[in-house]
Amino acid sequence: PEKAYFLGHVSPASQPDSYCTAIRALIDHARRVAPKVPLLVNTMGWVNGLGLSLLVDVIRWLRPTDLVQLVPNEDSSDTPLPLLDDTLLQSACGWMTSRNGAGSLWPLEDMSFYALPGSNYRGRSWARAKREAMVLAYLGCNVGADGYQTPKTPYWLWNTTPLRLPWSAVVVHDCDNSVPKSDLLYSIRGSVVALCVVPTDKLLKTENPAYPKFINSCGPYECLGYGLVRAIDPSEHLFYITTPEPPERLADVNALIRGDIHLPESLLTAQAQLLQCGWAPYLAKASSEPVFNGDEDEEPSDDGSCS
C-alpha cells in the first residue's frame, strides 16, 4: 500500500484512540495526494458497542457523498446494525467526535444513503485462517518489474536469502508489553514483525549503543511492510529478515514491531519432516548486504549462518 499504519492488534478494541489517529492520518493523506480522485472506503465489520462508535467517527471524518450499508435478512442471528442514515449519524455517540459535546458539529446533509441486501455469512471462525494465509502469500511474494509475484517453490520461506540488519539500526518492540525488554530478542525470533518508521523523539536510549533501541508504545507508526525474523546472530549483533519489500522501500525502516500477526502453527510444527528433506527454516547459508540504515563498512560474517 502507498500508506499504512501498524496498530499491533487485529481489533481496535484495545487501543481505539490509536485506531482513530491512524484513520485520520490516512484520510488526510488521501485528500492531500489525490484530492480529485474518488475515495472508496471499506469499513471494518465490528458494528456493536465501541465498534459502532468508531464507525460513526470514520463516517463523520470522511463526510462521504454516498454511504452504502449491506443489511442482512431477518434470519440472521447477529445483532442488527441500525440504518446509518443522516438521523442516526447526527445523534449517535462517536468515540472521539462526540467528546465535549461536539457530536452535532458534523453535518452530513449532502450524503446519499443506500441500504442494500447483504449476506448472512460472517465467517468469524475463518478470520484467523484467512489472516495467516494472507501473511504466507505476502511473505512469499517476489517483487520485480511486474510487481508482486507468487513464490515458485513450496520451500520459499527458508529458501529465500534473508537481509542482514544490524541491531543498532532499529527499535524492537512487542505490542503486548508483556515481555521484559531484556527478553525481547527471544520473543521476536521466528516472528512476523511490522517494518515501521518511528519518530526519533520516541526512541529510548540504551546503555549499549550496539544493542537495539526501545519504545514504550505501539504508536500508531507508519508501516512500510512486514518481514519474518528468520534468525538472530548475537555474536555479530545482526537480525536476518525475510521480506518481499524492495530495498529502496526499506531505507527508512528503523523499527521491528511484533503484534498479533503470526505464522501458522502448522508451519512450525512440521519442521521435523522438512528437516528430513534437507530444508531448515531458520538456517541460512548466505545473506545479502544490509539494506537498512546500518554501517556500510561492516564486514560480512565468515560463515554467514545463524540459528
Side-chain angles (χ1 to χ4, degrees):
E2 179 177 322
K3 179 74 72 170
Y5 289 89
F6 185 69
L7 296 176
H9 302 279
V10 297
S11 168
S14 60
Q15 44 184 359
D17 286 357
S18 296
Y19 173 80
C20 291
T21 300
I23 290 293
R24 298 210 68 174
L26 290 173
I27 294 174
D28 292 342
H29 175 78
R31 288 174 174 167
R32 183 174 62 255
V33 300
K36 297 183 179 180
V37 176
L39 179 62
L40 179 64
V41 178
N42 181 19
T43 59
M44 64 174 179
W46 183 26
V47 293
N48 296 318
L50 174 58
L52 177 58
S53 295
L54 293 173
L55 177 60
V56 169
D57 281 347
V58 173
I59 296 173
R60 287 174 175 173
W61 289 325
L62 281 168
R63 298 190 180 185
T65 57
D66 300 273
L67 177 63
V68 178
Q69 179 178 350
L70 301 180
V71 182
N73 60 40
E74 297 179 355
D75 297 333
S76 174
S77 60
D78 294 322
T79 302
L81 174 66
L83 295 180
L84 297 171
D85 54 17
D86 181 69
T87 301
L88 182 138
L89 293 175
Q90 289 287 358
S91 60
C93 179
W95 174 253
M96 296 192 72
T97 56
S98 295
R99 294 182 181 180
N100 301 321
S104 60
L105 302 179
W106 303 91
L108 297 168
E109 292 86 356
D110 297 332
M111 182 189 74
S112 298
F113 173 74
Y114 306 91
L116 303 180
S119 172
N120 291 335
Y121 177 73
R122 302 291 292 174
R124 288 192 180 93
S125 60
W126 293 98
R128 178 177 177 179
K130 289 180 179 179
R131 282 196 302 270
E132 292 177 344
M134 292 176 65
V135 168
L136 288 178
Y138 166 79
L139 291 176
C141 288
N142 293 319
V143 181
D146 298 329
Y148 290 88
Q149 300 176 354
T150 55
K152 298 180 180 179
T153 169
Y155 306 110
W156 58 265
L157 186 59
W158 41 91
N159 197 30
T160 303
T161 302
L163 305 171
R164 295 193 314 162
L165 172 61
W167 286 8
S168 59
V170 293
V171 167
V172 292
H173 183 68
D174 188 301
C175 285
D176 287 335
N177 287 320
S178 58
V179 180
K181 289 182 171 58
S182 58
D183 295 333
L184 273 177
L185 295 186
Y186 295 106
S187 72
I188 68 171
R189 182 172 56 184
S191 297
V192 176
V193 293
L195 308 175
C196 296
V197 181
V198 176
T200 55
D201 60 345
K202 301 291 185 181
L203 307 183
L204 303 179
K205 295 182 179 180
T206 55
E207 296 180 358
N208 190 333
Y211 277 49
K213 302 176 181 64
F214 304 105
I215 51 178
N216 281 329
S217 70
C218 268
Y221 300 118
E222 184 176 359
C223 179
L224 301 184
Y226 295 89
L228 173 68
V229 181
R230 279 270 300 274
I232 299 176
D233 187 340
S235 61
E236 297 293 334
H237 294 174
L238 291 173
F239 295 109
Y240 286 79
I241 310 292
T242 297
T243 177
E245 299 297 337
E248 57 272 15
R249 180 169 173 80
L250 301 175
D252 295 328
V253 169
N254 68 345
L256 307 178
I257 303 181
R258 181 177 182 267
D260 285 343
I261 301 176
H262 309 289
L263 290 175
E265 293 181 2
S266 58
L267 194 67
L268 304 177
T269 56
Q271 289 188 57
Q273 299 176 2
L274 297 170
L275 285 171
Q276 294 176 2
C277 300
W279 298 98
Y282 297 118
L283 296 178
K285 295 182 179 179
S287 64
S288 63
E289 291 302 314
V291 297
F292 297 86
N293 45 340
D295 186 357
E296 296 181 354
D297 296 328
E298 182 179 6
E299 293 294 329
S301 174
D302 292 336
D303 57 7
S305 63
C306 55
S307 60

